[in-house]
Amino acid sequence: MTNKLLEIKDLHVEYHTDDARVFAVNGIDLDVNEGETLGLVGETGAGKTTTALSVLKLLPERTGRITGGRVFLEGKDITNYTDADMRAIRGEIVSMIFQDPMTSLNPVLTVGFQIAEVLKLHKKAESNADIQRRVDEILKLVDIPPERKHDYPHQFSGGMKQRIVIAIALACEPKLLLADEPTTALDVTIQAQVLSMMNELKEKLGTAMILITHDLGVVAETCDRVAIMYAGKIIETGAVEQIFDPAAAHHPYTVGLFGAIPDLTKKTRRLSPIDGLMPDPTDLPAGCKFHTRCPQCMDRCRTEEPGVTDMNGHRLCCHLFAQSGKEEA
C-alpha cells in the first residue's frame, strides 16, 4: 500500500491587488506518494507555480492568500501553520527548486555559505567541521568540485548554478522536492545532464518530487504520474502510461497539447497550436474553463462545470466522459 506524503484538498488561491482579484487556483485536489514523481503540466498562467508556493506558504505576503482548502504533509494539516512552524519544515521535509537559478542564489555570499546555512538551521547539533564536510559531500553529489565552495554565484555557468540550487534543496535530504521548471533556463545538453542527475539523486535519497514543466518529453522520461492543469483546475490525472496512450480517452486540452508537438515523421508547413488564449484569471468564464477554446464544446459546457470521471485511476474533468466511468461528486 502506498503512503501519501502530500495531499492537497480543494485548494483555492487568490491574488488581491488594488485593481483586480486574480483567481489563480480554483479548487484542486492533488496527492503525491512517497518516492513518486508527479509531473504538473500546463500553459503559463495555469497556476502551477502558485500551487507549489502554497504548499510552502511562500505566496506574496500582501497579495497572495489561500482562501479555501487544506494541505496535508505526512498526514498533518499545515494549512494554518505559522511562519516559525513552516521554517522548521522548509528544507528538511519539503524543499523547492525555483525557476531561475540566476536569481535564486544570493550574489554576495559564497555558494558554500548558502549550502551550509540550510544545514546550520536544521542540523543544530552538528559541529562546524561536520557541516563543512557535509557541504563538500553535497557538492560532489551534484558534480561540482568541493574546493569551489568559496566561489560566488557569478563565477559559475548557468548549468552549474542550477546544480548548486539543487544541492541547497537536497542538503537536508527532504522527503519532497518541488521542482519548478528546473531546466527551462538551460540549453538542451545541460538540461539532459541536470535531469539525469535529479533522477539519480531521487533514486539514491528516495525523495518524492513534483516536477513543474512545459516539456512533455521531460515528463515521459522522469514522471510516474501526470496532472494536467488549466486555468487553476486539474483537468486530467493519471499514470504516465495512461496520459501518453493515444488510444485512451483524453481531455480535449490534453489532445491539443500533444497535437502541438512537432511530428518529425511528417512534413508540414505549420505547427498545430490550440486556438485562442488562456482565459483572464480575473474574469473566468462560467462552466468549463476550457469551453471557449474547445472544438468539442457542448451547450452544457458553457454553463455547467464538469465533475471528475474516474476510469480506473485515469481521472478526467470533462462532460464528454461523464457516462464513461465512475463520476465523482
Side-chain angles (χ1 to χ4, degrees):
M1 183 178 176
T2 56
N3 295 319
K4 289 184 180 179
L5 181 61
L6 174 72
E7 283 186 89
I8 299 174
K9 296 185 176 180
D10 196 30
L11 181 69
H12 290 76
V13 181
E14 297 177 6
Y15 293 106
H16 290 218
T17 69
D18 292 338
D19 302 319
R21 183 179 173 193
V22 179
F23 299 95
V25 176
N26 303 300
I28 69 166
D29 294 298
L30 208 59
D31 59 74
V32 182
N33 299 316
E34 292 180 357
E36 178 183 55
T37 298
L38 173 73
L40 191 56
V41 180
E43 288 175 87
T44 298
K48 307 182 299 297
T49 298
T50 295
T51 300
L53 292 175
S54 299
V55 172
L56 282 173
K57 299 193 77 174
L58 289 176
L59 293 168
E61 184 178 354
R62 296 183 182 277
T63 57
R65 62 197 71 174
I66 295 174
T67 57
R70 289 285 182 267
V71 178
F72 295 87
L73 190 62
E74 295 187 305
K76 298 176 182 177
D77 186 350
I78 65 170
T79 314
N80 297 315
Y81 271 25
T82 64
D83 286 343
D85 294 332
M86 291 305 300
R87 278 196 293 272
I89 290 173
R90 296 182 196 126
E92 185 165 30
I93 298 176
V94 55
S95 287
M96 186 165 180
I97 301 172
F98 295 94
Q99 271 190 35
D100 186 1
M102 315 297 177
T103 57
S104 298
L105 296 168
N106 191 322
V108 300
L109 299 175
T110 65
V111 298
F113 181 92
Q114 294 183 63
I115 297 171
E117 190 174 30
V118 183
L119 295 166
K120 288 175 182 177
L121 178 63
H122 294 292
K123 310 289 183 184
K124 294 183 174 68
E126 294 189 4
S127 67
N128 188 57
D130 288 337
I131 286 176
Q132 290 305 315
R133 275 195 294 272
R134 178 62 180 152
V135 170
D136 292 347
E137 290 172 6
I138 293 165
L139 286 171
K140 286 180 183 176
L141 202 62
V142 295
D143 293 327
I144 291 178
E147 55 269 22
R148 296 208 61 186
K149 67 183 178 182
H150 303 296
D151 290 346
Y152 291 86
H154 74 271
Q155 295 174 275
F156 294 87
S157 67
M160 294 182 83
K161 282 192 185 81
Q162 189 63 286
R163 292 181 187 191
I164 292 163
V165 169
I166 293 170
I168 293 171
L170 294 173
C172 295
E173 299 185 6
K175 296 181 180 179
L176 176 64
L177 185 63
L178 307 176
D180 188 5
E181 300 187 33
T183 60
T184 298
L186 309 177
D187 64 62
V188 176
T189 304
I190 302 301
Q191 276 188 25
Q193 292 176 5
V194 169
L195 287 169
S196 176
M197 183 196 68
M198 288 176 65
N199 276 330
E200 288 175 13
L201 295 175
K202 175 181 173 292
E203 293 297 325
K204 183 175 180 179
L205 304 177
T207 304
M209 181 164 63
I210 295 180
L211 177 62
I212 297 171
T213 182
H214 296 281
D215 193 331
L216 290 168
V218 169
V219 170
E221 290 291 328
T222 60
C223 297
D224 303 304
R225 286 193 302 125
V226 186
I228 309 291
M229 197 165 185
Y230 184 82
K233 298 279 289 184
I234 300 293
I235 58 171
E236 184 171 353
T237 56
V240 69
E241 296 84 5
Q242 293 171 322
I243 300 298
F244 280 78
D245 182 0
H250 292 296
H251 193 285
Y253 179 63
T254 307
V255 174
L257 287 180
F258 280 98
I261 299 173
D263 187 343
L264 298 180
T265 65
K266 296 179 181 178
K267 187 174 181 179
T268 180
R269 294 181 63 187
R270 284 184 168 273
L271 298 178
S272 302
I274 302 171
D275 291 336
L277 298 171
M278 181 87 70
D280 182 351
T282 65
D283 185 24
L284 292 171
C288 174
K289 304 299 179 278
F290 186 61
H291 84 258
T292 56
R293 305 171 71 186
C294 183
Q296 301 185 64
C297 177
M298 302 178 287
D299 288 340
R300 67 183 298 197
C301 300
R302 297 183 176 90
T303 57
E304 184 182 337
E305 195 162 319
V308 177
T309 302
D310 193 324
M311 299 179 178
N312 299 317
H314 185 188
R315 305 172 80 222
L316 299 121
C317 189
C318 181
H319 290 304
L320 289 172
F321 310 105
Q323 306 304 318
S324 304
K326 182 180 177 183
E327 189 168 10
E328 301 178 5

